[in-house]
Amino acid sequence: MDWEPVRTEPGMPPKLVAWRQKLSEKAKQEKQFRFYSLYSLISHPDTVGWAWKLARRNNGAPGVDGVTFEQIEQQEGGVERFLEELGQELKAKTYKAQPVRRVYLEKENGKLRPLGIPVIRDRVVQTAVKLIIEPIFEADFNDCSYGYRPGRSAQDAIQAIQRHLKDGKSEVYDADLSGYFDSIPHDKLMACVRMRIVDGSVLRLMRRKTLASLAKQAFPSKLAWCL
């Protein structure tokens, strides 16, 4: 199946496209390379601005501050002011994540799954981080991995299984980690991240309480491989 690990969407800033492509190529070519000087890419206006557009597209409920996307757009100065202030905080390294609003979703077995809802500004920062570090970690995944990967879905995994069945591969190993997202060891997760990223500013940003959800979602398979 033809699949491009570094996705480029219409409207994505050319600089961001180029950065992501270069990071991906470097990660593929040098499997032991540890990346530095990434923070300036994350805090760049092109990255933060595109991160806003992606967060806005997903919409979602407000965090603990109760601020909605509509309120940001309607405030004095609108989105431009919001992004300028957030960008200044990131560049000055004074940005601080706010607490996450915790809600619980009922699972099929009747148990409750905790869900953290960050405030919008933290959602934008999470997305900016993901835009820059995603191409690096994508280079380390096996081709058979489908979960939490850009451009891949459960339907793609089913199609791969169908192809394997046609090739005569009929044995299936089914395994699941109980309560994985509730008990993920953050220290081990960050140790895995440091295998590829040594930019101290980025690592400190990822250790912020709000960005824990980003790490959980971006690197579950990477963590399992490291363990």
Side-chain angles (χ1 to χ4, degrees):
M1 178 182 69
D2 294 331
W3 174 73
E4 177 55 54
V6 182
R7 301 187 70 193
T8 301
E9 297 187 38
M12 181 180 285
K15 286 184 179 179
L16 181 57
V17 173
W19 293 334
R20 284 167 53 83
Q21 188 63 47
K22 289 180 180 178
L23 290 170
S24 176
E25 292 174 356
K26 184 70 172 180
K28 290 176 182 177
Q29 293 168 1
E30 301 185 37
K31 293 295 186 179
Q32 303 300 319
F33 187 82
R34 303 173 76 188
F35 290 81
Y36 53 92
S37 299
L38 297 176
Y39 190 84
S40 61
L41 303 183
I42 291 172
S43 59
H44 192 280
D46 284 1
T47 307
V48 178
W50 187 252
W52 158 267
K53 291 183 179 180
L54 295 180
R56 184 64 179 93
R57 181 192 304 170
N58 291 334
N59 205 3
V64 293
D65 60 0
V67 176
T68 65
F69 285 100
E70 290 77 14
Q71 288 175 323
I72 293 174
E73 293 165 342
Q74 295 168 10
Q75 71 178 359
E76 184 178 354
V79 176
E80 183 176 351
R81 173 188 170 188
F82 169 84
L83 293 177
E84 181 179 356
E85 293 177 348
L86 181 57
Q88 289 175 350
E89 288 185 33
L90 288 171
K91 289 183 178 180
K93 299 183 180 179
T94 58
Y95 162 81
K96 292 184 179 180
Q98 296 187 41
V100 176
R101 182 164 70 90
R102 179 59 62 92
V103 297
Y104 293 89
L105 303 178
E106 186 173 354
K107 299 164 65 174
E108 292 182 359
N109 59 9
K111 295 183 178 180
L112 297 178
R113 180 193 299 276
L115 176 67
I117 302 179
V119 299
I120 291 175
R121 66 194 304 275
D122 293 338
R123 244 176 280 178
V124 172
V125 175
Q126 289 179 7
T127 306
V129 174
K130 183 174 182 288
L131 283 168
I132 297 302
I133 68 176
E134 180 180 67
I136 297 172
F137 288 92
E138 270 295 313
D140 293 335
F141 283 115
N142 291 322
D143 187 59
C144 60
S145 176
Y146 287 85
Y148 302 93
R149 299 187 66 182
R152 292 196 169 195
S153 65
Q155 287 73 24
D156 294 323
I158 292 174
Q159 291 176 7
I161 292 173
Q162 291 174 338
R163 290 194 297 271
H164 291 316
L165 289 173
K166 290 180 179 179
D167 292 338
K169 301 175 182 178
S170 58
E171 294 185 359
V172 177
Y173 294 88
D174 185 13
D176 187 24
L177 297 175
S178 177
Y180 174 74
F181 287 112
D182 305 333
S183 58
I184 184 171
H186 290 183
D187 57 336
K188 292 183 174 62
L189 174 60
M190 290 307 299
C192 290
V193 173
R194 286 194 296 271
M195 294 173 65
R196 273 302 208 172
I197 296 177
V198 292
D199 187 324
S201 296
V202 174
L203 294 173
R204 283 190 292 273
L205 187 61
M206 291 185 65
R207 280 195 293 264
R208 301 287 186 182
K209 182 178 180 181
T210 305
L211 290 181
S213 62
L214 164 70
K216 288 181 183 180
Q217 296 177 28
F219 313 119
S221 299
K222 179 68 176 176
L223 175 64
W225 169 80
C226 185
L227 294 176

